[in-house]
Amino acid sequence: LDLPKSLPSRVSSQATAIAKEQGTAYDKALAIEAYLRGFQYTNAPPEKDFDQDVVDHFLFDSRAGHSDHFASAMAVMLRATGIPSRLIAGFGPGTVDLESRTFVIKEKDKHSWVEAYFPGHGWVPFEPSATFETIPRTIEDYETISLNPDKMASSIPDDLTDEATKPSEEGKNEDLPGGRISGG
């Protein structure tokens, strides 16, 4: 639940405003996730001032970023509403190589997401970035996915040609959208 003392108050105020009409901690988390999914995903987010808080800049100025921005914002907003949270960084499953019977994991498959802690249930994953489908939580969600396997895929095609989404020589902009995250 820790938050930096330097966190601008408008970040906490925004989180509280989004969550205030929600009855349960889980509903608050879903509301924050839905709010953030309206932001733009980009691998070349607008630059911030040197001393500006990253989450504050993402929420109020740029409203655009990559998975680290979305996950950081959700984790901070959850904590601001009293919900324990943690940022998870990892890789999606990649693509299947049928010849070697393995998964090929590439740089484009790295991703960040959030887990929130709910007593009696443990850590529950959330996907605040609209680059991926939300994480299925009900039998109906799983049935929909089993009927339509494309629902598990990223909404961003693998053959991105936009310069902003290509890995740079210096290793920047490497958070290219890839496969489904774990926990989904």
Side-chain angles (χ1 to χ4, degrees), residues 160-179:
L160 292 171
T161 56
D162 176 328
E163 279 301 312
T165 59
K166 286 184 180 175
S168 68
E169 297 299 315
E170 300 83 33
K172 295 180 181 175
N173 302 330
E174 296 288 340
D175 186 21
L176 300 176

Side-chain angles (χ1 to χ4, degrees), residues 93-99 101-104:
T95 55
V96 177
D97 180 351
L98 295 175
E99 189 174 310
R101 298 180 55 128
T102 61
F103 288 91
V104 177

Side-chain angles (χ1 to χ4, degrees), residues 15-155:
T16 301
I18 293 165
K20 75 177 178 181
E21 299 295 322
Q22 306 305 316
T24 67
Y26 180 72
D27 290 335
K28 291 176 183 184
L30 288 175
I32 291 169
E33 177 188 53
Y35 173 77
L36 292 170
R37 291 180 66 79
F39 286 42
Q40 179 187 355
Y41 189 95
T42 178
N43 288 305
E47 291 192 27
K48 67 175 194 59
D49 291 337
F50 175 76
D51 59 346
Q52 186 177 14
D53 182 86
V54 174
V55 170
D56 181 80
H57 179 260
F58 174 71
L59 291 174
F60 298 103
D61 297 331
S62 72
R63 296 182 56 88
H66 50 73
S67 64
D68 290 347
H69 294 103
F70 284 87
S72 295
M74 185 166 183
V76 167
M77 294 174 86
L78 288 171
R79 289 178 178 197
T81 61
I83 301 170
S85 63
R86 62 187 181 189
L87 188 139
I88 307 297
F91 290 86
T95 55
V96 177
D97 180 351
L98 295 175
E99 189 174 310
S100 66
R101 298 180 55 128
T102 61
F103 288 91
V104 177
I105 310 296
K106 296 183 177 181
E107 189 69 25
K108 72 177 184 125
D109 296 312
K110 73 180 185 179
H111 188 61
S112 298
W113 62 97
V114 174
E115 289 183 349
Y117 184 80
F118 302 103
H121 299 283
W123 291 100
V124 177
F126 288 87
E127 179 50 70
S129 165
T131 302
F132 295 96
E133 296 292 329
T134 54
I135 296 170
R137 304 201 190 286
T138 66
I139 296 297
E140 293 80 14
D141 289 344
Y142 283 104
E143 287 172 352
T144 301
I145 289 169
S146 68
L147 295 174
N148 183 4
D150 291 337
K151 293 279 284 181
M152 290 291 284
S154 166
S155 62

